[in-house]
Amino acid sequence: MKDIKFYGTALPGLEIEPYSGKLIVIEGTDGVGRSTHVALLRTWLESSGHAVLDTGMTRSVLAGRGIKNAREGHTLGRLTMQLYYATDFADRLENQMMPALRAGFVVLTDRYIYSAIARAVVRGADPEWIRSIYGMAVVPDAILYLRVRSTEELAGRVLGSGSGFDYWESGMDLGLGNDYYDSFVAYQKQLLREFDRMSGEYGFHVIDASRPVRRVAAELRRAVAKVIEEEPLTAAKEITKTEPPEKIKPSVTPTVKESDTAEKVKSA
Amino acid sequence: MTRVTIAQMISYGHHRYPGRLFVVEGTDGSGKSTQLALLYQWLKAEGYPVFFSEWNSSPLVKDTTRRAKRRRLFTPTTFSLLHATDFADRTERNIIPPLKAGAIVLADRYIYTAFARDVARGCDRAWVREVYKFAVKPTVGFFFRAPLDVAIDRIASARPTLKYYEAGMDMEWSDDEEESFKLFQGKILDEYDHMVSEFGLTQIDATQSIRVQQRQMREIVGRFLKEKLKEKVVLPK
């Protein structure tokens, strides 16, 4: 169990009670492979018996659709956009992440407040202002930051994914370049700079994402394992003398019997 | 710092525009909207370019707010932030551009409404003020003060049923709508009373007759008007 810690002012009406879940953030600029890695981590965690909730920007019940519609029109002002995202975040924090953490889930979040802060600051928001709005955020158990070596590499990945450049992800609203490519590279460079600035401030665990997916995934798994192992190990200290280690936490990691696997295969 | 193309966010009190911004505030039933409508007619008749800006009017946010109210999705924090989003859109679209162009903007409810309601719902006072730091400081902020029982009587006679959030039912202070509404409005009024000196609001006694209140309002607004403001302003849409 762990006490909830907020970056700033706590959410009103929230009981400050210890929670047993883990909040793990996957951060990084556009095209760095965050969603791929979240999916891989989820499968891996579930297969070892952890209940997982994954969430990400604009996935709130309250504001997700509104933001998507507003982005379509390209008439979204900067302040409006930043506050819309903050609304989306707060809704997911209160209605998805907090309940899951209380229930002992591993919460994997694709981006957290850091992306929102970086985007806002690059768009001229007062860095103090945007940070205090996100003071309501819970301090995560780990911030795994996927970092690429160059923004040109990101552009290649975005194109490789087949979806092409997005208006907002290319920072087209900022007028940084003559076309989507130039703008994307210039915009992502500025974002990278903001992320680097935040790295020490918030204690990012930096992971070199320019390597093959397999290697990045392995490093992510090691980092996550460290976070989720912490608690059972300390709780089990007294028992270790009398019992073999594999029997310490049977409820957390159930051993999969052959019959179970067979059933799974059938139902799949 | 190499942020070239972007202007830093300007905050409350630091905006300098040729236009004028007059806002009305007060609890539900204080009669502020009536007063603002009368002021609007007068300014138009006098030949000033006037624009109206209402609370909860952003086309980008309206649907989300409506749906959230209907499905009761709000917490105090998201209620606060979504209203701030709406207000940001109003500021960027309907308040700053006319003020820059030298027009008169009249706002029915402003940031003080948010401060009163959100704090009554338990949001942190300092946090809510920080969220709205980007707002333009009004030329004059009128606070129409009606004692609680007067305001409640007016609302009760004007509307058959109270809305869920308007009555503060989300706070679960009471199962009885009317009781909840009274409690909520009482807390809101306390917040307004604190804000009069904090933000230098101009208090108008809302128990006076409509004509007397309007005379006082026009006298105060008149101090900030100049013939120059009547010159045609051209606005984008």
Side-chain angles (χ1 to χ4, degrees):
Chain A
M1 295 295 248
K2 213 188 118 190
D3 283 330
I4 300 181
K5 252 176 69 190
F6 294 92
Y7 277 119
T9 317
L11 287 163
L14 191 95
E15 283 165 56
I16 309 287
E17 53 193 30
Y19 64 86
S20 56
K22 297 290 174 196
L23 178 59
I24 296 168
V25 176
I26 311 295
E27 268 288 4
T29 50
D30 302 287
V32 80
R34 289 181 330 277
S35 47
T36 306
H37 286 294
V38 166
L40 289 172
L41 279 174
R42 179 173 190 145
T43 313
W44 173 68
L45 281 165
E46 286 179 339
S47 69
S48 55
H50 293 279
V52 177
L53 171 98
D54 76 89
T55 180
M57 278 177 161
T58 72
R59 286 201 238 156
S60 75
V61 176
L62 176 66
R65 197 197 302 167
I67 292 177
K68 280 173 196 150
N69 290 342
R71 282 167 64 113
E72 288 297 309
H74 300 179
T75 61
L76 196 50
R78 287 170 193 177
L79 291 167
T80 312
M81 171 160 56
Q82 285 146 26
L83 286 165
Y84 227 152
Y85 274 97
T87 310
D88 170 79
F89 176 81
D91 188 49
R92 288 184 296 110
L93 182 66
E94 291 184 280
N95 295 317
Q96 298 176 7
M97 294 187 253
M98 293 304 306
L101 287 173
R102 264 184 230 120
F105 277 56
V106 175
V107 175
L108 286 180
T109 164
D110 180 350
R111 300 183 184 279
Y112 200 59
I113 62 171
Y114 320 103
S115 279
I117 292 173
R119 287 174 179 182
V121 172
V122 162
R123 287 182 169 79
D126 177 346
E128 292 299 314
W129 174 73
I130 194 73
R131 277 172 175 73
S132 47
I133 288 179
Y134 284 107
M136 59 170 154
V138 173
V139 178
D141 293 286
I143 309 159
L144 309 175
Y145 171 49
L146 301 175
R147 194 185 189 288
V148 281
R149 291 174 203 152
S150 80
T151 47
E152 284 79 4
E153 187 188 329
L154 285 178
R157 288 184 183 207
V158 167
L159 286 179
S161 75
S163 52
F165 292 115
D166 169 84
Y167 179 86
W168 298 100
E169 283 181 4
S170 306
M172 285 303 281
D173 59 312
L174 291 171
L176 297 170
N178 293 325
D179 55 48
Y180 273 68
Y181 178 79
D182 288 348
S183 181
F184 180 91
V185 171
Y187 175 59
Q188 296 293 339
K189 265 198 179 107
Q190 295 196 9
L191 286 178
L192 264 180
R193 204 178 304 137
E194 286 308 321
F195 273 118
D196 286 344
R197 210 169 271 159
M198 282 188 283
S199 184
E201 182 185 349
Y202 291 105
F204 290 178
H205 176 143
V206 183
I207 291 172
D208 178 1
S210 294
R211 296 169 299 165
V213 172
R214 190 175 38 83
R215 303 246 334 255
V216 177
E219 193 178 339
L220 278 167
R221 277 203 296 273
R222 274 198 299 277
V224 170
K226 233 196 227 160
V227 176
I228 54 177
E229 288 303 317
E230 224 169 51
E231 188 195 315
L233 283 179
T234 46
K237 255 182 192 163
E238 290 158 19
I239 320 167
T240 32
K241 290 170 192 164
T242 49
E243 281 184 310
E246 60 266 25
K247 280 187 185 170
I248 290 169
K249 34 166 196 166
S251 59
V252 185
T253 23
T255 42
V256 182
K257 287 177 204 142
E258 267 177 42
S259 56
D260 289 351
T261 330
E263 252 172 51
K264 261 187 205 161
V265 173
K266 257 183 233 163
S267 64
Chain B
M1 296 280 139
T2 47
R3 285 176 211 124
V4 224
T5 50
I6 306 138
Q8 282 293 313
M9 187 175 94
I10 310 171
S11 58
Y12 191 81
H14 293 96
H15 297 272
R16 292 282 173 273
Y17 302 124
R20 301 283 186 271
L21 174 63
F22 301 106
V23 315
V24 294
E25 284 281 358
T27 51
D28 293 320
S30 61
K32 57 185 177 337
S33 305
T34 309
Q35 292 297 332
L36 196 65
L38 292 171
L39 188 73
Y40 176 77
Q41 292 305 337
W42 175 60
L43 289 169
K44 261 185 79 176
E46 291 285 309
Y48 293 101
V50 203
F51 289 84
F52 232 143
S53 172
E54 277 176 283
W55 192 247
N56 262 350
S57 60
S58 153
L60 295 180
V61 185
K62 224 167 33 191
D63 290 345
T64 303
T65 308
R66 198 181 301 135
R67 187 169 139 273
K69 282 185 175 169
R70 200 179 53 231
R71 294 177 50 185
R72 299 185 182 168
L73 296 173
F74 283 126
T75 63
T77 305
T78 53
F79 188 95
S80 175
L81 285 170
L82 193 63
H83 283 82
T85 309
D86 188 284
F87 181 81
D89 194 33
R90 270 173 77 198
T91 301
E92 294 185 299
R93 210 184 283 261
N94 301 327
I95 296 176
I96 289 177
L99 288 177
K100 270 190 176 169
I104 295 175
V105 177
L106 302 180
D108 190 348
R109 295 196 176 278
Y110 205 62
I111 56 176
Y112 316 104
T113 286
F115 296 171
R117 285 183 189 172
D118 295 347
V119 174
R121 278 203 166 83
C123 290
D124 181 75
R125 238 182 226 101
W127 181 78
V128 181
R129 280 155 178 70
E130 183 70 21
V131 168
Y132 283 91
K133 213 169 88 180
F134 59 88
V136 180
K137 188 179 185 227
T139 313
V140 181
F142 290 98
F143 167 46
F144 288 86
R145 194 183 192 287
L148 204 52
D149 48 337
V150 174
I152 288 170
D153 281 351
R154 287 184 190 167
I155 288 288
S157 61
R159 284 174 234 182
T161 52
L162 292 163
K163 291 174 193 155
Y164 182 78
Y165 286 103
E166 193 180 49
M169 291 299 284
D170 57 314
M171 299 312 291
E172 299 176 356
W173 290 316
S174 166
D175 292 337
D176 182 63
E177 270 190 4
E178 219 180 296
E179 182 65 29
S180 173
F181 180 72
K182 279 181 194 165
L183 277 168
F184 190 39
Q185 294 295 320
K187 286 175 196 279
I188 287 175
L189 193 57
D190 282 348
E191 286 305 317
Y192 271 127
D193 284 338
H194 280 116
M195 285 191 285
V196 171
S197 60
E198 184 185 351
F199 295 103
L201 300 180
T202 302
Q203 192 164 309
I204 304 268
D205 178 357
T207 59
Q208 306 173 98
S209 75
I210 290 176
R211 276 179 60 83
V212 169
Q213 292 180 56
Q214 185 61 204
R215 199 185 307 137
Q216 291 169 350
M217 207 181 174
R218 288 182 187 183
E219 195 273 313
I220 293 161
V221 167
R223 293 178 208 162
F224 299 93
L225 301 177
K226 289 184 198 144
E227 281 301 306
K228 231 184 105 202
L229 288 169
K230 291 184 187 175
E231 286 164 19
K232 273 256 181 314
V233 292
V234 185
L235 286 170
K237 201 208 108 187

